[in-house]
Amino acid sequence: DAGVIQSPRHEVTEMGQEVTLRCKPISGHDYLFWYRQTMMRGLELLIYFNNNVPIDDSGMPEDRFSAKMPNASFSTLKIQPSEPRDSAVYFCASSLSTHGTEAFFGQGTRLTVV
Amino acid sequence: DAKTTQPTSMDCAEGRAANLPCNHSTISGNEYVYWYRQIHSQGPQYIIHGLKNNETNEMASLIITEDRKSSTLILPHATLRDTAVYYCIVRVASSGSARQLTFGSGTQLTVLP
């Protein structure tokens, strides 16, 4: 397996534009997580899914953020409209529900909103 | 999940053992200790985890004190590629429970040539 795949790796967009980040988890993994990393706040969990169902979205900062998982092999994180303070690295991770298994992270998407 | 305390930064000479401490004095009986690391510009990477016994894998060793209030991650022969931020995380890991990881500030380990 190629691991967790995120796209794009880098995104530069203008304030007010819609941004969509994509994630393909490791095949067979039933948990998917979206994290955001900034210098000020470190790594923050935004939302996670189990079997494609959102379980906890309490970390989603505002209604401008939304996430979907239409099937087991694909998830999106959308920001609409984007703002400069959304600039960060966004990571997707996946894991199995089996006791004690670790989470595997993608390489991240570096988002810059100008 | 229990809170953890780690030093902000540490240095280690290349080829020597790197010992990274973590305090988790409020850990509960069903909480595991996990270690992840994040090399610059990459996603976090799992290293090792344990409950109360010492653990070893191809990357590192994890030593947990008998009272489980602290632990040490040991990289036996540090290389320059081990320079990274190391995160100690404590969480419940029972089947069916939530899987999210809560990251603190971690320890910046710098391996010096």
Side-chain angles (χ1 to χ4, degrees):
Chain A
D1 201 313
V4 176
I5 300 174
Q6 292 186 245
S7 65
R9 289 295 309 276
H10 301 274
E11 176 81 37
V12 180
T13 190
E14 290 186 347
M15 182 174 62
Q17 296 297 307
E18 177 179 295
V19 176
T20 299
L21 311 181
R22 297 172 175 80
C23 175
K24 176 180 168 56
I26 293 174
S27 177
H29 281 191
D30 52 355
Y31 278 84
L32 184 139
F33 309 85
W34 283 100
Y35 285 85
R36 177 174 69 176
Q37 186 171 34
T38 61
M39 289 291 292
M40 292 295 294
R41 300 174 68 89
L43 272 161
E44 303 174 279
L45 177 70
L46 300 177
I47 185 172
Y48 77 94
F49 296 81
N50 178 217
N51 292 321
N52 313 336
V53 176
I55 303 300
D56 185 354
D57 65 353
S58 59
M60 296 285 261
E62 300 172 32
D63 291 344
R64 298 184 297 106
F65 286 69
S66 63
K68 295 182 180 179
M69 192 165 185
N71 57 63
S73 59
F74 184 65
S75 177
T76 59
L77 178 67
K78 185 177 294 186
I79 308 172
Q80 166 63 20
S82 59
E83 297 182 3
R85 61 194 168 118
D86 302 330
S87 297
V89 181
Y90 290 82
F91 289 102
C92 175
S94 69
S95 72
L96 285 169
S97 58
T98 306
H99 176 72
T101 54
E102 66 269 29
F104 293 84
F105 285 75
Q107 291 290 76
T109 295
R110 180 173 295 278
L111 173 66
T112 303
V113 183
V114 298
Chain B
D1 292 342
K3 182 180 173 60
T4 62
T5 304
Q6 299 178 252
T8 302
S9 64
M10 294 180 64
D11 292 340
C12 176
E14 187 177 19
R16 303 297 293 270
N19 297 282
L20 293 92
C22 179
N23 286 322
H24 32 78
S25 58
T26 60
I27 192 170
S28 300
N30 62 346
E31 288 181 313
Y32 285 67
V33 180
Y34 283 75
W35 283 85
Y36 280 73
R37 73 179 182 183
Q38 186 174 23
I39 296 169
H40 183 62
S41 297
Q42 297 184 21
Q45 176 191 24
Y46 167 83
I47 301 172
I48 199 168
H49 77 280
L51 181 62
K52 53 184 176 181
N53 298 320
N54 297 337
E55 302 287 345
T56 295
N57 63 19
E58 65 279 4
M59 290 182 67
S61 294
L62 174 60
I63 309 298
I64 303 175
T65 58
E66 192 169 342
D67 63 6
R68 302 206 326 119
K69 294 185 176 181
S70 66
S71 60
T72 301
L73 179 74
I74 301 172
L75 308 178
H77 305 286
T79 71
L80 298 179
R81 288 176 293 181
D82 292 322
T83 292
V85 177
Y86 287 77
Y87 297 98
C88 171
I89 301 166
V90 173
R91 70 167 175 87
V92 176
S94 58
S95 177
S97 70
R99 282 288 173 274
Q100 69 268 35
L101 298 163
T102 302
F103 289 85
S105 302
T107 296
Q108 171 65 59
L109 174 69
T110 302
V111 180
L112 304 171

